[in-house]
């Protein structure tokens, strides 16, 4: 019943939210049989109305080639459209594109800028990515204090790699005062 109602609403043409919801349902197999091609179709319809979540989800499909032929440039373009509308995860995905030069020209400074948005909103993976860039001085001047601060924010959310890196900072006294007991407790 829910699936048929959503199909009816999505088919009305200007019901972008229903189209997005149907895309999610097909992706997850919720109330309809799981079908990535159908999910792609409905995300595309919703993205034509400028829905940032639809643009982001389409970008993921183009990035991994799960429902369509892989197209890194299209993925980056869709992530950019969603990021321009404030989609936090799109900033992270687009930052990764710039970091690796996938679908766009490699630009580590741009990646750093893009990672900052979701990091400030509390996204642990973005916090970890920023910490790594500051720790290595990649795309920016090396800043051990910034690196340790971002590692700690991600570590506090359970990000395992960040916990290990923050423990290493504590062990070496890199960006934070050396604290061997605290480092030892994080390594356990």
């Amino acid at each position: 019943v829910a699936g048929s109602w959503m199909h009816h609403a999505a088919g009305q043409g200007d019901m972008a939210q229903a189209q997005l919801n149907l895309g999610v349902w097909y992706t997850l197999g919720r109330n309809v049989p799981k079908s990535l091609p159908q999910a792609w179709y409905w995300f595309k319809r919703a993205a034509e109305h400028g829905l940032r979540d639809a643009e982001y989800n389409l970008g993921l499909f183009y990035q991994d080639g799960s429902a369509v032929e892989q197209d890194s440039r299209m993925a980056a373009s869709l992530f950019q459209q969603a990021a321009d509308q404030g989609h936090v995860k799109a900033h992270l995905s687009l930052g990764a594109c710039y970091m690796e030069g996938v679908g766009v020209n490699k630009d580590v400074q741009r990646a750093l800028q893009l990672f900052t948005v979701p990091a400030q909103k509390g996204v642990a993976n973005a916090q970890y990515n920023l910490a790594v860039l500051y720790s290595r001085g990649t795309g920016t001047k090396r800043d051990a204090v910034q690196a340790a601060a971002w590692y700690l924010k991600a570590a506090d959310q359970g990000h395992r790699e960040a916990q290990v890196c923050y423990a290493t900072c504590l062990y070496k006294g890199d960006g934070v005062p050396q604290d061997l007991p605290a480092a030892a407790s994080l390594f356990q």
Side-chain angles (χ1 to χ4, degrees):
V1 170
S4 63
W5 178 87
M6 191 64 72
H7 267 283
H8 174 73
Q12 296 303 308
D14 62 350
M15 298 289 291
Q17 188 62 49
Q19 294 166 345
L20 173 65
N21 291 346
L22 204 48
V24 170
W25 285 9
Y26 274 113
T27 300
L28 302 175
R30 183 181 302 154
N31 300 316
V32 294
K34 184 174 181 173
S35 171
L36 296 181
Q38 280 293 311
W40 175 86
Y41 171 79
W42 289 111
F43 285 143
K44 183 159 178 41
R45 297 268 314 264
E48 290 168 357
H49 295 281
L51 259 67
R52 65 185 188 178
D53 288 338
E55 292 166 343
Y56 173 71
N57 285 318
L58 273 179
L60 293 176
F61 278 10
Y62 281 105
Q63 184 179 51
D64 67 18
S66 57
V68 293
E69 187 174 330
Q70 187 176 19
D71 185 339
S72 298
R73 288 188 190 280
M74 178 62 80
S77 175
L78 288 160
F79 292 149
Q80 181 68 63
Q81 290 172 37
D84 287 346
Q85 296 183 67
H87 194 283
V88 174
K89 288 183 181 178
H91 280 87
L92 181 59
S93 295
L94 186 59
C97 291
Y98 277 103
M99 189 73 199
E100 302 298 325
V102 176
V104 294
N105 292 328
K106 185 173 183 171
D107 185 342
V108 180
Q109 290 177 332
R110 180 76 176 121
L112 183 98
Q113 293 168 344
L114 287 160
F115 290 151
T116 300
V117 173
Q120 291 174 338
K121 301 245 184 218
V123 177
N125 284 339
Q127 293 168 337
Y128 173 76
N129 289 345
L130 268 184
V132 169
L133 294 176
Y134 281 116
S135 176
R136 296 178 182 167
T138 305
T140 187
K141 184 178 140 200
R142 186 181 189 287
D143 187 335
V145 173
Q146 280 276 19
W150 286 115
Y151 281 138
L152 177 59
K153 287 177 187 283
D156 283 346
Q157 294 185 68
H159 193 285
R160 190 65 192 136
E161 291 89 353
Q163 291 170 342
V164 171
C165 291
Y166 186 69
T168 302
C169 291
L170 288 169
Y171 179 78
K172 293 180 176 180
D174 189 23
V176 292
Q178 187 177 41
D179 187 341
L180 298 178
S185 70
L186 285 172
F187 279 128
Q188 294 178 356

